[in-house]
Amino acid sequence: MIAYIEPYFLDNDADAATVSTGQSFDGVPESLDIQGEISSGDAAANIAGKDFGGMNCMKPLAVVRPLGPEDIAGAVRTALRSDKLTVAARGNGHSINGQAMAEGGLVVDMRSTAENHFEVGGGGAFVDVSGGALWENVLKRCVSEYGLAPRSWTDYLGLTVGGTLSNAGVSGQAFRYGPQTENVTELDVVTGNGDVVTCSELENSELFFSVLGGLGQFGIITRARVLLQPAPDMVRWIRVVYTEFDEFSEDAEWLVSQKDELCFDYVEGFVFVNGDDPVNGWPTVPLHLDQEFDPTRLPRSSGSVLYCLELALHYQGSESNSTVDERVERLIGRLRFIKGLRFEVDLPYVDFLLRVKQSEEIAKVNGTWETPHPWLNLFVSKRDIGEFDRTVFKELVKNGVGGPMLVYPLMRSRWDDRTSVVLPEGEIFYIVALLRFVPTCAKASSVEKMVAQNQEIVQWCVRKGIDFKLYLPHYKSQEEWIRHFGNRWSRFVDRKTMYDPMAILSPGQKIFNRAP
């Protein structure tokens, strides 16, 4: 859905210090004997000193570019033999609050392993891919070479397999197939004990479920077995507009509650400003340049913000337009959107899944891909989403956030409680994402205000007893982490004790302190 970020969106030439064996330099232990490359000093800081969030700077001792799992295990074992070294796995650097950083520690650049695995098996039922592979490359190869595709995605596919599986991996397909963590059947993992372990629901199952959504606390994913399905040829992409949150949410909940064969293949939604602001308002809704948002269609009673349901239906190129139209109308006919504010386009399946790529390229040109991104992602219960709308959407962010404001329902029954992900109560809950982009001309104080507003929203949720969980969580105290995990905290601690007792892994999450 975040394809409409076009209006928003470390370059450092310091000398690199890189070697390709285990020699000691710049304080890197001689015991760090790996087959891949090691960078330290300014070179390491340039690679892993910042992330997409752009609000944290941490200088690692070294960056390791492993050739495979044994190099990663070697880095972990080196840390285990030290007094204070930690290890963080870094994918494509898209964490927001320094979660993949390691101040004075070792950062494992997983991109060097991207091509280590790619094998379709089970008669096309699954594909084995590297934890360092980008989802966009997995998509392209699966579709072009086999006519197959994974079932569950994220909106932006320039993320690594291991990175999203360590959180959840959510997009508009999750209501049907669950998050990406529900669509893998086997993993290879390097634990905090320095062991290389294959795990699944049937083999080393506790590790398997610990690592999925485990925020990198229990192991580094080096290989994942991802479920596949036949890839469609085309997608009918649709957006419809609502003025009332109740109607928007009830229609969205009805859609995601339908049986698989009776629903769209993708359901998302977003909030936008009721005005002509090119970044936050009406112009962000149409799907094609020849489409226009006609505000005269809106009732005079419309409020400060409006809502958009975003839908997609897969189909094969052999299907006639009339057949696709009939399928769409059968699903969309009972929805209560504003007539005349419906936008749709047909496009190839791969283009739909890569819809954010063009926005990324535009943002890199205008500089906003490199500015800070003080994003806030939450799961909010169905019970409290109406109150959240009234206070947050209609008041606190009624003028927009300089980027997409996503809100759409998910089904708890599609999530396995054995993973490390924690969710609000109830069968239906909502994902809310305030994806702020900072103009290149913005002052540091404006970023601080955005961060402060995020904190205000979280504090309001706590104060009002809103049933919520941060997605891609970031807390600074163990008290906050205990509140986040609730009755799952003791299980999380037990898993840490089992698989990373010295708290070597993912120090940037700030959940546990390194044990001496």
Side-chain angles (χ1 to χ4, degrees), residues 140-299:
K140 292 173 184 176
R141 287 197 65 180
C142 285
V143 174
S144 64
E145 297 178 21
Y146 297 93
L148 301 169
R151 307 187 307 176
S152 189
W153 298 95
T154 51
D155 286 335
Y156 175 63
L157 301 188
L159 308 172
T160 60
V161 170
T164 65
L165 294 180
S166 296
N167 289 280
V170 179
S171 186
Q173 306 85 8
F175 77 94
R176 173 178 290 186
Y177 297 112
Q180 290 179 314
T181 49
E182 299 300 314
N183 289 273
V184 292
T185 60
E186 186 177 278
L187 302 171
D188 285 346
V189 174
V190 176
T191 71
N193 294 315
D195 299 322
V196 182
V197 183
T198 297
C199 56
S200 67
E201 185 174 4
L202 300 178
E203 179 185 7
N204 299 308
S205 61
E206 187 67 22
L207 176 61
F208 179 72
F209 290 113
S210 297
V211 169
L212 293 173
L215 307 177
Q217 293 299 302
F218 313 111
I220 297 172
I221 298 170
T222 62
R223 178 186 63 90
R225 178 162 290 177
V226 181
L227 294 174
L228 298 175
Q229 65 181 4
D233 297 326
M234 299 291 293
V235 170
R236 174 74 56 87
W237 186 11
I238 305 167
R239 287 178 177 171
V240 291
V241 174
Y242 293 75
T243 59
E244 303 301 323
F245 183 77
D246 287 348
E247 294 181 347
F248 161 83
S249 59
E250 288 169 7
D251 279 0
E253 289 174 17
W254 177 79
L255 284 172
V256 302
S257 300
Q258 299 306 297
K259 294 181 179 179
D260 290 352
E261 66 276 9
L262 299 176
C263 191
F264 288 99
D265 297 287
Y266 164 102
V267 177
E268 285 199 12
F270 60 95
V271 184
F272 63 101
V273 174
N274 188 5
D276 60 3
D277 181 341
V279 173
N280 300 291
W282 304 327
T284 62
V285 179
L287 290 167
H288 195 273
L289 292 176
D290 63 5
Q291 298 174 347
E292 290 188 5
F293 189 103
D294 182 3
T296 65
R297 298 281 187 170
L298 297 170

Side-chain angles (χ1 to χ4, degrees), residues 136-453:
E136 62 185 45
N137 294 332
V138 173
L139 167 69
K140 292 173 184 176
R141 287 197 65 180
C142 285
V143 174
S144 64
E145 297 178 21
Y146 297 93
L148 301 169
R151 307 187 307 176
S152 189
W153 298 95
T154 51
D155 286 335
Y156 175 63
L157 301 188
L159 308 172
T160 60
V161 170
T164 65
L165 294 180
S166 296
N167 289 280
V170 179
S171 186
Q173 306 85 8
F175 77 94
R176 173 178 290 186
Y177 297 112
Q180 290 179 314
T181 49
E182 299 300 314
N183 289 273
V184 292
T185 60
E186 186 177 278
L187 302 171
D188 285 346
V189 174
V190 176
T191 71
N193 294 315
D195 299 322
V196 182
V197 183
T198 297
C199 56
S200 67
E201 185 174 4
L202 300 178
E203 179 185 7
N204 299 308
S205 61
E206 187 67 22
L207 176 61
F208 179 72
F209 290 113
S210 297
V211 169
L212 293 173
L215 307 177
Q217 293 299 302
F218 313 111
I220 297 172
I221 298 170
T222 62
R223 178 186 63 90
R225 178 162 290 177
V226 181
L227 294 174
L228 298 175
Q229 65 181 4
D233 297 326
M234 299 291 293
V235 170
R236 174 74 56 87
W237 186 11
I238 305 167
R239 287 178 177 171
V240 291
V241 174
Y242 293 75
T243 59
E244 303 301 323
F245 183 77
D246 287 348
E247 294 181 347
F248 161 83
S249 59
E250 288 169 7
D251 279 0
E253 289 174 17
W254 177 79
L255 284 172
V256 302
S257 300
Q258 299 306 297
K259 294 181 179 179
D260 290 352
E261 66 276 9
L262 299 176
C263 191
F264 288 99
D265 297 287
Y266 164 102
V267 177
E268 285 199 12
F270 60 95
V271 184
F272 63 101
V273 174
N274 188 5
D276 60 3
D277 181 341
V279 173
N280 300 291
W282 304 327
T284 62
V285 179
L287 290 167
H288 195 273
L289 292 176
D290 63 5
Q291 298 174 347
E292 290 188 5
F293 189 103
D294 182 3
T296 65
R297 298 281 187 170
L298 297 170
R300 292 185 177 180
S301 59
S302 299
S304 58
V305 296
L306 303 170
Y307 310 92
C308 180
L309 261 184
E310 183 172 69
L311 313 166
L313 185 74
H314 298 167
Y315 65 94
Q316 298 302 329
S318 58
E319 292 186 67
S320 66
N321 287 337
S322 61
T323 299
V324 177
D325 291 344
E326 182 180 341
R327 290 175 61 197
V328 168
E329 294 309 317
R330 188 166 62 245
L331 294 168
I332 210 170
R334 63 149 285 169
L335 303 184
R336 294 167 290 175
F337 58 90
I338 303 298
K339 306 308 176 187
L341 292 179
R342 169 178 169 177
F343 307 90
E344 56 188 79
V345 294
D346 293 272
L347 71 169
Y349 174 69
V350 171
D351 291 354
F352 172 72
L353 289 178
L354 293 176
R355 61 197 179 279
V356 182
K357 191 68 177 179
Q358 182 181 3
S359 303
E360 175 191 3
E361 293 167 355
I362 293 171
K364 285 180 175 178
V365 170
N366 67 31
T368 52
W369 197 256
E370 307 298 330
T371 59
H373 302 95
W375 290 5
L376 179 64
N377 299 272
L378 312 94
F379 295 135
V380 180
S381 69
K382 173 183 175 178
R383 183 197 73 187
D384 295 321
I385 194 63
E387 186 173 358
F388 189 95
D389 167 65
R390 289 188 291 273
T391 298
V392 178
F393 292 142
K394 288 188 171 74
E395 295 295 335
L396 296 180
V397 297
K398 64 182 179 181
N399 295 318
V401 297
M405 298 190 290
L406 309 186
V407 55
Y408 58 91
L410 299 167
M411 306 291 287
R412 186 187 180 96
S413 57
R414 301 294 190 182
W415 299 61
D416 195 316
D417 284 342
R418 293 173 292 181
T419 71
S420 293
V421 181
V422 287
L423 303 172
E425 295 298 321
E427 168 61 3
I428 293 178
F429 63 97
Y430 281 74
I431 185 168
V432 174
L434 305 181
L435 306 182
R436 305 172 187 269
F437 282 79
V438 179
T440 54
C441 60
K443 297 180 180 179
S445 59
S446 66
V447 178
E448 293 170 0
K449 289 179 181 178
M450 293 178 187
V451 173
Q453 188 177 66

Side-chain angles (χ1 to χ4, degrees), residues 452-516:
Q453 188 177 66
N454 288 346
Q455 294 171 343
E456 179 185 5
I457 292 169
V458 173
Q459 290 166 1
W460 172 81
C461 288
V462 173
R463 191 170 61 251
K464 287 293 185 179
I466 300 296
D467 184 10
F468 81 102
K469 301 292 182 184
L470 286 187
Y471 176 51
L472 313 176
H474 170 67
Y475 292 111
K476 295 183 178 180
S477 72
Q478 192 165 91
E479 178 185 0
E480 291 173 305
W481 281 111
I482 292 172
R483 186 187 68 227
H484 172 76
F485 284 103
N487 60 13
R488 304 286 179 86
W489 172 247
S490 60
R491 185 183 73 174
F492 199 81
V493 171
D494 289 344
R495 289 174 166 179
K496 188 70 171 179
T497 302
M498 187 180 306
Y499 300 116
D500 185 25
M502 303 298 287
I504 298 291
L505 300 176
S506 294
Q509 295 282 4
K510 294 182 170 60
I511 305 176
F512 301 100
N513 293 322
R514 168 71 161 89

